């Protein structure tokens, strides 16, 4: 697996990693912002989203290697979660998900069809969405550890202000 080291700054990006194992590590004690620009794409999309979830015709293989995301801020997505992960394994550490507006699933983060997505020592706040305004796990396993989840907003008639795990997801939450 490759690793990309990112220096302090604001990056106006909509990054897509399809069938590529690339870890992204932000410079420690610096502010590394990945700003989705308020459009209909996440700041970072990892994996293939077939079967109706954000499927835009891409093809790809399951990413078996563990992708590490560390010291990053995901913000300003417009109609998808700030971070979308599918058919992948990831460890997310010391990240912030803030000010994202998700569509149907997950405002801050959406995980689907993944074996292990672990979130450690992160902040998920001030995001909006229909199901799981903070984070949504669909048919996925993982854990959320020592993470602050607060002030996320779900649209009327939907559920999961902070976390929404469904369709066979096995999610442990520990603080």
């Amino acid at each position: 697996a490759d690793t990309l080291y990112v220096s302090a700054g604001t990056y106006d990006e909509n990054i897509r990693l399809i069938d590529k194992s690339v870890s992204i590590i932000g410079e420690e004690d610096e502010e590394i912002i990945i700003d989705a620009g308020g459009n209909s794409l996440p700041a970072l999309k990892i994996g293939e989203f077939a079967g109706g979830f954000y499927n835009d015709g891409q093809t790809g293989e399951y990413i078996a290697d563990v992708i590490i995301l560390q010291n990053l801020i995901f913000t300003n997505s417009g109609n998808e979660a700030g971070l979308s992960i599918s058919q992948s394994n990831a460890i997310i550490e010391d990240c912030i998900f803030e000010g994202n507006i998700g569509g149907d699933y997950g405002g801050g983060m959406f995980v689907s069809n993944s074996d292990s997505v672990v979130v450690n020592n992160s902040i998920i706040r001030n995001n909006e969405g229909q199901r799981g305004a903070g984070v949504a796990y669909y048919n996925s396993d993982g854990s959320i550890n020592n993470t602050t989840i607060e002030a996320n907003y779900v649209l009327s008639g939907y559920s999961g202000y902070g976390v929404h795990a469904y369709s066979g997801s096995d999610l442990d939450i520990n603080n």
Side-chain angles (χ1 to χ4, degrees):
D2 295 321
T3 302
L4 174 65
Y5 294 96
V6 184
S7 297
T10 299
Y11 299 87
D12 298 323
E13 299 289 342
N14 301 108
I15 303 165
R16 293 174 53 160
L17 298 176
I18 301 170
D19 68 14
K20 292 181 178 44
S21 179
V22 178
S23 292
I24 303 173
I25 310 295
E27 190 175 351
E28 192 171 347
D29 298 323
E30 296 294 332
E31 197 167 84
I32 297 91
I33 300 170
I34 303 175
D35 187 327
N39 60 35
S40 294
L41 298 171
L44 176 60
K45 179 189 273 189
I46 298 172
E48 177 186 3
F49 285 80
F53 291 110
Y54 308 144
N55 184 12
D56 52 7
Q58 74 264 30
T59 60
E61 300 295 322
Y62 190 95
I63 301 174
D65 293 333
V66 175
I67 294 171
I68 298 172
L69 305 175
Q70 188 172 22
N71 303 323
L72 304 168
I73 299 170
F74 298 92
T75 191
N76 204 18
S77 69
N79 194 35
E80 289 191 29
L83 170 63
S84 295
I85 299 174
S86 183
Q87 298 187 26
S88 305
N89 300 303
I91 297 173
I92 300 154
E93 294 187 343
D94 302 310
C95 289
I96 298 173
F97 302 86
E98 183 171 38
N100 297 290
I101 300 173
D104 287 340
Y105 301 94
M109 185 172 77
F110 175 57
V111 179
S112 74
N113 301 309
S114 296
D115 289 337
S116 178
V117 175
V118 177
V119 180
N120 296 320
N121 306 314
S122 295
I123 298 170
I124 303 169
R125 67 178 172 219
N126 299 320
N127 300 289
E128 294 181 24
Q130 291 180 358
R131 296 171 186 89
V135 59
Y137 275 66
Y138 170 82
N139 192 36
S140 298
D141 297 339
S143 64
I144 299 173
N145 307 295
N146 300 315
T147 293
T148 300
I149 302 172
E150 63 184 6
N152 296 288
Y153 176 75
V154 174
L155 299 177
S156 179
Y158 292 95
S159 61
Y161 280 83
V163 178
H164 187 73
Y166 58 105
S167 291
S169 293
D170 186 6
L171 179 63
D172 293 324
I173 300 175
N174 307 292
N175 200 3

